[in-house]
Amino acid sequence: MKKRIIPLLLVAILTVLTGCGTSSGNSSSGGTSSSTPDKKVTLNILAAGTLTVPFKQVDEAFQKKYPNVTVHPQFGGSVKMVKQVTDLKQPADLVAVADYTVIPKYMFGSNGQQKYADWYVGFASNEITFVYTNQSKGHDKITPDNWYQVLAEKGVQIGRSNPDTDPSGYQTLQMLNLAEKYYKAPDLAKNILANAPATNIRDTETELLSALQAGQIDYLAIYKSDALQHGLKYLQLPAQINLSDPKYADSYKEANVQTKNGNLTGMPIVYALTIPNNAANADWAQKYAAFLFGPEGQAIFQKDGFGMLPKPYANDVSKVPSSLSSLVSSWPQK
């Protein structure tokens, strides 16, 4: 009887050891179990409104690759999205904004505030423009040379986003500021903004696309990527004023606009993301970021009209999670 019990004990011991070995092989490098391939995960992402189209496409491709993950995105003005985390304490696994400076300003714990991040990575660029349709007043005569005169004509209705909550709102003001100098037209901004009253302002400019297409407004200040995504006519403004080209970074700094969040200086438009330090699913957020930085994610952004960086830029490579460090490069001297 004892001879038969001993082999049974050995089998039981081997079974337990084998099971432990399997469990260890599935654990994540960070020591948590949330990245195991079969565990159901909901990834909460807060992002700029102009990222809606490409992020939904990235979400779909990511979920196809990782069927256990459900991406739950929320889109809005970049400053508003960041404040959802810092002020309203909304849980977020990843935050993406249309102006990289928003992250350090509100999430790095300056002025004694709680610290939510210490790194960010820029992954795409864009430019400010005005879109319009065949219903727009002056659509048949507007050109890249006379646009500021057409937009200032009596009766023209212009939509824009809130400069206190959304980067494109203050970037539009910065662009108009630069345009005054470029075209030597001192009243350019004042004359155009007279046709863009508070009733034509929304938290994010994408909320006004339906108003433009319905003919309720004639022109909408927005990013070029949105123009291409929605098949809209747009103005190809000079690189010296549209905030698209790092080559003009020094001259962009000449544009200063006052908002409820302080005085904001013009700079090249670069979208950036970070993972809050209290993210519940940081490991999966890293996988998402890696997917976005990779060939498939970057191809989606290029198709949707965004400018591509030579390689995603990190403000501090040493602070970027190790799983992402090989995918990024140091931010060019600002």
Side-chain angles (χ1 to χ4, degrees):
M1 188 69 176
K2 291 182 179 179
K3 291 181 179 179
R4 295 175 65 181
I5 291 175
I6 292 173
L8 288 173
L9 288 172
L10 288 173
V11 170
I13 291 168
L14 287 171
T15 300
V16 171
L17 290 173
T18 303
C20 291
T22 302
S23 174
S24 175
N26 285 341
S27 66
S28 71
S29 59
T32 64
S33 60
S34 62
S35 64
T36 52
D38 57 348
K39 181 174 181 178
K40 299 298 182 184
V41 175
T42 298
L43 203 58
N44 292 302
I45 294 178
L46 302 185
T50 49
L51 290 171
T52 301
V53 171
F55 261 43
K56 285 186 175 180
Q57 294 169 356
V58 170
D59 293 350
E60 183 178 352
F62 185 77
Q63 290 170 137
K64 186 175 180 180
K65 183 174 181 179
Y66 300 105
N68 63 304
V69 178
T70 298
V71 180
H72 183 261
Q74 181 180 341
F75 300 99
S78 294
V79 175
K80 181 181 178 180
M81 291 296 96
V82 166
K83 287 188 174 183
Q84 293 285 98
V85 175
T86 61
D87 294 0
L88 302 181
K89 312 303 180 185
Q90 180 175 336
D93 297 307
L94 185 144
V95 177
V97 297
D99 175 0
Y100 65 90
T101 65
V102 170
I103 293 174
K105 182 173 183 177
Y106 296 103
M107 300 185 75
F108 277 20
S110 59
N111 300 319
Q113 300 299 310
Q114 183 177 343
K115 187 175 185 178
Y116 287 88
D118 60 6
W119 63 271
Y120 57 87
V121 174
F123 58 87
S125 63
N126 218 328
E127 62 187 71
I128 287 289
T129 184
F130 284 97
V131 293
Y132 59 100
T133 71
N134 287 334
Q135 303 178 77
S136 303
K137 292 182 178 66
H139 75 90
D140 54 346
K141 62 180 180 181
I142 195 167
T143 71
D145 297 318
N146 70 4
W147 64 272
Y148 59 96
Q149 297 166 333
V150 173
L151 265 62
E153 289 180 357
K154 187 176 181 180
V156 170
Q157 290 291 319
I158 301 170
R160 59 191 175 105
S161 68
N162 188 342
D164 297 323
T165 62
D166 192 46
S168 79
Y170 56 75
Q171 288 162 347
T172 295
L173 299 181
Q174 290 165 348
M175 182 273 288
L176 293 175
N177 189 314
L178 292 168
E180 288 188 338
K181 301 178 181 68
Y182 183 80
Y183 295 104
K184 296 180 174 60
D187 294 327
L188 182 151
K190 181 182 75 174
N191 294 338
I192 289 176
L193 293 174
N195 288 337
T199 52
N200 290 357
I201 296 176
R202 299 293 183 274
D203 276 342
T204 180
E205 73 283 4
T206 51
E207 295 177 39
L208 286 164
L209 284 168
S210 59
L212 175 72
Q213 292 163 333
Q216 296 169 347
I217 58 175
D218 300 299
Y219 298 89
L220 175 59
I222 203 167
Y223 294 113
K224 180 181 176 180
S225 61
D226 288 297
L228 296 173
Q229 290 164 24
H230 296 280
L232 296 167
K233 294 184 176 182
Y234 67 95
L235 293 168
Q236 186 63 62
L237 301 179
Q240 290 91 331
I241 68 172
N242 68 14
L243 304 176
S244 69
D245 195 339
K247 180 172 65 177
Y248 296 108
D250 286 342
S251 61
Y252 292 163
K253 291 177 183 177
E254 296 176 11
N256 290 279
V257 300
Q258 189 64 39
T259 73
K260 289 182 179 179
N261 298 306
N263 187 272
L264 303 177
T265 301
M267 57 191 63
I269 298 169
V270 178
Y271 288 75
L273 63 78
T274 193
I275 298 170
N277 54 26
N278 63 345
N281 299 293
D283 46 2
W284 279 105
Q286 291 172 33
K287 289 179 186 291
Y288 184 95
F291 185 84
L292 192 154
F293 298 158
E296 193 169 352
Q298 292 290 283
I300 289 171
F301 271 81
Q302 189 167 23
K303 174 179 67 67
D304 287 334
F306 289 81
M308 293 295 97
L309 306 177
K311 192 175 185 179
Y313 298 150
N315 69 306
D316 187 339
V317 176
S318 69
K319 293 180 179 178
V320 172
S322 58
S323 64
L324 301 176
S325 59
S326 66
L327 303 175
V328 303
S329 59
S330 295
W331 202 286
Q333 195 70 27
K334 294 192 283 287

